[in-house]
Amino acid sequence: WYQRRVHGVLAGYKALGLCHFFTAGSDEVKCWTIQNGTKAPQAAGRIHTDFEKGFICAEVMRFEDLKAHGSENEVKANGKYKQCGKEYVVVDGDIIYFKFNAGAGLAGKK
């Protein structure tokens, strides 16, 4: 029952040209839906517009690499953690930590 429903959701994502990425903190993991072909700054903008405006880079690891190596530190130790710039196209299932300039969205505002 459960697998059929998950398969149906994933088929719907594919039919609509959607994919997802994850963000994670010490106490939660969130899943974000984007269009296939979305670049990192625009993906960051799904979280908050200031993330897109002040985008610096995206630190990315694949879910499959995290599953295989067991921890973020092991993913890094095995060279599977990467820093990506503005042209990086988010891949379905990426786990991303966005770095951004928090003041970028405030320029010209008083």
Side-chain angles (χ1 to χ4, degrees):
W1 173 86
Y2 176 76
Q3 285 183 319
R4 283 194 318 268
R5 297 221 178 196
V6 169
H7 179 71
V9 169
L10 295 176
Y13 264 58
K14 186 175 181 179
L16 295 171
L18 301 174
C19 67
H20 59 277
F21 68 94
F22 300 96
T23 56
S26 60
D27 61 343
E28 71 178 352
V29 174
K30 289 198 174 196
C31 180
W32 304 89
T33 301
I34 55 174
Q35 291 287 321
N36 286 329
T38 300
K39 293 185 179 179
Q42 289 70 44
R46 292 287 295 155
I47 299 168
H48 195 285
T49 56
D50 287 350
F51 281 34
E52 182 174 359
K53 292 175 187 171
F55 180 86
I56 296 171
C57 73
E59 294 184 350
V60 181
M61 67 178 148
R62 301 283 303 133
F63 174 76
E64 291 80 11
D65 293 331
L66 179 61
K67 187 176 172 183
H69 297 293
S71 73
E72 181 179 332
N73 286 336
E74 285 300 312
V75 170
K76 289 178 180 179
N78 283 277
K80 299 291 185 173
Y81 194 89
K82 56 189 172 187
Q83 277 194 337
C84 302
K86 293 180 179 182
E87 295 303 312
Y88 177 72
V89 175
V90 177
V91 176
D92 191 41
D94 278 351
I95 301 168
I96 306 176
Y97 176 75
F98 292 104
K99 290 188 175 182
F100 67 100
N101 176 354
L106 302 175
K109 293 183 181 177
K110 290 193 177 190

